[in-house]
Amino acid sequence: MMNNNNDKSLTQIETNGVEQIPDHERTAGPGDLFRLIFGGANTFATAVLGSFPVLFGLSFQAGVWAIVLGVLVGSIILAPMGLFGPLNGTNNAVSSGAHFGVHGRIVGSFLSLLTAIAFFSLSVWSSGDALIGGAKRLIGVPETDLSLGLAYGLFALLVLTVCIYGFRFMLWVNRIAVWAASLLFLLGIFAFAPSFDSQFAGTVALGQPGFYAAFIGAALVAMSNPISFGAFLGDWSRYIPRNTPKPRIMLAVIAAQLATLIPFLFGLATATIVAIKAPDYIAANNYVGGLLAVSPGWFFLPVCLIAVIGGMSTGTTSLYGTGLDMSSVFPRVLSRVKATLLIGVLSIAFIFIGRFAANLVQSVSTFAVLIITCTTPWMVIMIIGLVVRRGFYCPDDLQVFTRGETGGRYWFSHGWNWRGLGAWIPSALVGLCFVNLPGQFVGPLGELAGGIDISLPVTLGLASVVYLALLGLFPEPAAVYGPRDPRSTDPLNPSELRQAA
């Protein structure tokens, strides 16, 4: 929990970049991490993901199992990514330098940037559409390009303001968002209970052709939500003291993702109602429009509030980390605030161009899935590295790139560790080949499993096998494993470091 002294800094702009957070400033706890993760996912965008089982033709019951399976597996994979922040006092992209090299860490920075822009854009688009749609039904606001543009601009500027103020302000926003959005989603139970049918059968039943493709596809969509947080957890967990028990941190991550079953199941249940009462919207893959069409009049205001709160919480958790990380890639040019402003302005421009000039909304949805396919093997390599190193890291050596220096434990081959890169590159490429998003993107091997998208399982397994094989065939320098004697707490001296490297 945050103490009173730190609460006073709410309105002070955060000056910390990716340098190691001093121990005396680490006053957050696992509960704060829970709020940030859950707040960032307890949104309208997650409800949209919950509608996918119905869009794929599954029954309500099969949809529940697909969502629970995807969220559970994804949260277990995600949980260890919350440990790097407390261990190293910096974000996960910088921490990845221990396994990809201090220069190779730019892979994580690049993935973080693309993920943030994609999910920030999707969040603003879905929330803006829901806000204007609800306002149209509630008070007759016209749904025009101008009104939509004003809604998008409002969300984007509010999010950018919160991100500039930094971690404390973002934590305060998500404290409110967690409870407010949860109550509004639960209020939806009363709004839609009279129309809900738990026996909704869908169009594809167990035993029929295409069922398993739809079920696995829906589970992978749900799984992509927790996976999308992998690059960002260190942005927030770096404020947690390094001596915090690791199980508590991982439990907070898992609990936060399991809590997202609230918006997921809201999206699933309401999608079944839309499929019955307004099937044309489901046929057009327009869940938000269908939800507004079947909502009772008194629920339009809660829909608008969900849109506002969701747009704020998801946008801040995405954009904050990207500004933070870009400041570390160009440390001599960009501070955290300047980097946040730059990325924010570019993201806003992308939102307007993509929505009104290029019609990229569906394309960005596909783009987000492809990014996650590339992020998953990166996460697997970091988690395996964490286990192999037994949690030992040298935070000071991780900052070599940021300081414009050379050398240290993680210099490897001119700043590149080809073991990690050698596992990530083929795993990501092969994973992309197995992606199967009908009507959007189908990789060269996408039909190999009978139309089932097995990209994430393939890339997970391949990254694990290749990375472990490379570590076994080409052992890393002894220095990266810490003290030479497991019973000793004395680190290697400089001459031993040079010999080990």
Side-chain angles (χ1 to χ4, degrees):
M1 298 296 295
M2 310 300 292
N3 60 34
N4 293 332
N5 291 332
N6 287 295
D7 284 337
K8 294 179 181 178
S9 64
L10 264 181
T11 57
Q12 296 178 356
I13 294 179
E14 180 186 5
T15 57
N16 289 327
V18 294
E19 67 275 5
Q20 185 181 177
I21 301 296
D23 288 341
H24 70 274
E25 293 188 28
R26 298 194 189 188
T27 54
D32 297 310
L33 182 62
F34 170 90
R35 279 188 287 271
L36 283 166
I37 299 172
F38 182 35
N42 193 29
T43 67
F44 219 91
T46 304
V48 172
L49 294 179
S51 70
F52 270 74
V54 175
L55 297 179
F56 290 166
L58 293 176
S59 67
F60 172 75
Q61 294 180 3
V64 170
W65 284 110
I67 288 173
V68 171
L69 176 64
V71 171
L72 182 60
V73 174
S75 64
I76 292 173
I77 296 173
L78 176 67
M81 298 300 292
L83 301 178
F84 292 97
L87 286 171
N88 299 319
T90 187
N91 68 343
N92 282 356
V94 173
S95 292
S96 72
H99 308 293
F100 292 88
V102 292
H103 288 161
R105 50 139 296 191
I106 64 173
V107 169
S109 299
F110 182 66
L111 292 172
S112 163
L113 173 63
L114 295 180
T115 303
I117 292 178
F119 279 88
F120 176 52
S121 300
L122 288 172
S123 173
V124 170
W125 282 329
S126 61
S127 296
D129 289 346
L131 175 61
I132 296 302
K136 178 182 178 181
R137 294 283 302 274
L138 189 63
I139 56 177
V141 173
E143 189 172 339
T144 64
D145 286 350
L146 176 61
S147 61
L148 288 170
L150 290 174
Y152 298 154
L154 173 64
F155 280 130
L157 290 176
L158 287 175
V159 167
L160 185 57
T161 300
V162 174
C163 292
I164 288 173
Y165 274 97
F167 176 79
R168 311 288 181 197
F169 197 12
M170 184 175 67
L171 179 58
W172 178 77
V173 168
N174 278 275
R175 280 177 174 174
I176 298 173
V178 163
W179 292 108
S182 297
L183 289 174
L184 291 170
F185 277 125
L186 292 175
L187 185 62
I189 294 177
F190 299 97
F192 295 102
S195 304
F196 174 64
D197 180 9
S198 62
Q199 301 303 313
F200 174 79
T203 58
V204 181
L206 179 64
Q208 291 182 343
F211 172 81
Y212 286 106
F215 182 86
I216 294 176
L220 290 177
V221 168
M223 181 178 169
S224 70
N225 196 55
I227 293 295
S228 69
F229 283 83
F232 302 113
L233 285 192
D235 302 340
W236 319 315
S237 65
R238 65 196 181 118
Y239 279 97
I240 297 176
R242 68 180 76 248
N243 59 355
T244 303
K246 294 180 178 62
R248 288 187 59 200
I249 297 173
M250 291 194 291
L251 182 61
V253 176
I254 293 174
Q257 291 299 330
L258 292 180
T260 64
L261 290 174
I262 294 174
F264 263 115
L265 295 180
F266 174 87
L268 175 64
T270 52
T272 64
I273 298 172
V274 174
I276 294 172
K277 291 190 170 184
D280 290 344
Y281 287 98
I282 295 297
N285 292 330
N286 184 6
Y287 162 74
V288 175
L291 177 66
L292 294 171
V294 302
S295 293
W298 66 266
F299 195 66
F300 292 148
L301 179 59
V303 166
C304 293
L305 291 175
I306 290 174
V308 173
I309 295 170
M312 286 288 293
S313 56
T314 298
T316 53
T317 52
S318 297
L319 195 58
Y320 170 80
T322 305
L324 175 68
D325 200 49
M326 284 301 103
S327 67
S328 70
V329 176
F330 305 101
R332 299 181 182 180
V333 180
L334 298 174
S335 64
R336 186 196 67 81
V337 173
K338 290 180 180 178
T340 301
L341 276 171
L342 176 61
I343 300 300
V345 170
L346 292 175
S347 298
I348 292 172
F350 179 79
I351 287 170
F352 280 88
I353 293 173
R355 176 62 174 82
F356 298 115
N359 194 24
L360 291 176
V361 178
Q362 186 181 49
S363 299
V364 172
S365 302
T366 305
F367 188 46
V369 173
L370 300 182
I371 293 170
I372 291 169
T373 305
C374 295
T375 303
T376 303
W378 178 80
M379 291 172 56
V380 168
I381 290 167
M382 285 191 65
I383 293 170
I384 292 176
L386 173 71
V387 175
V388 170
R389 305 272 180 88
R390 296 184 178 180
F392 173 83
Y393 293 95
C394 180
D396 188 64
D397 284 351
L398 288 171
Q399 300 290 340
V400 165
F401 178 84
T402 307
R403 296 193 298 260
E405 301 173 353
T406 61
R409 283 177 168 86
Y410 310 119
W411 185 243
F412 299 106
S413 299
H414 303 287
W416 304 89
N417 186 355
W418 49 266
R419 300 166 187 83
L421 291 169
W424 175 74
I425 293 173
S427 301
L429 291 176
V430 171
L432 291 174
C433 290
F434 278 93
V435 171
N436 190 329
L437 298 172
Q440 299 181 52
F441 179 88
V442 178
L445 303 177
E447 300 289 349
L448 200 62
I452 300 175
D453 188 327
I454 59 172
S455 56
L456 283 182
V458 166
T459 195
L460 278 167
L462 187 60
S464 303
V465 172
V466 174
Y467 186 51
L468 287 172
L470 290 175
L471 289 178
L473 294 172
F474 308 99
E476 293 180 314
V480 302
Y481 295 96
R484 57 185 181 275
D485 185 342
R487 295 168 296 180
S488 171
T489 58
D490 297 327
L492 297 171
N493 61 44
S495 63
E496 291 173 322
L497 277 175
R498 286 192 292 272
Q499 292 175 1

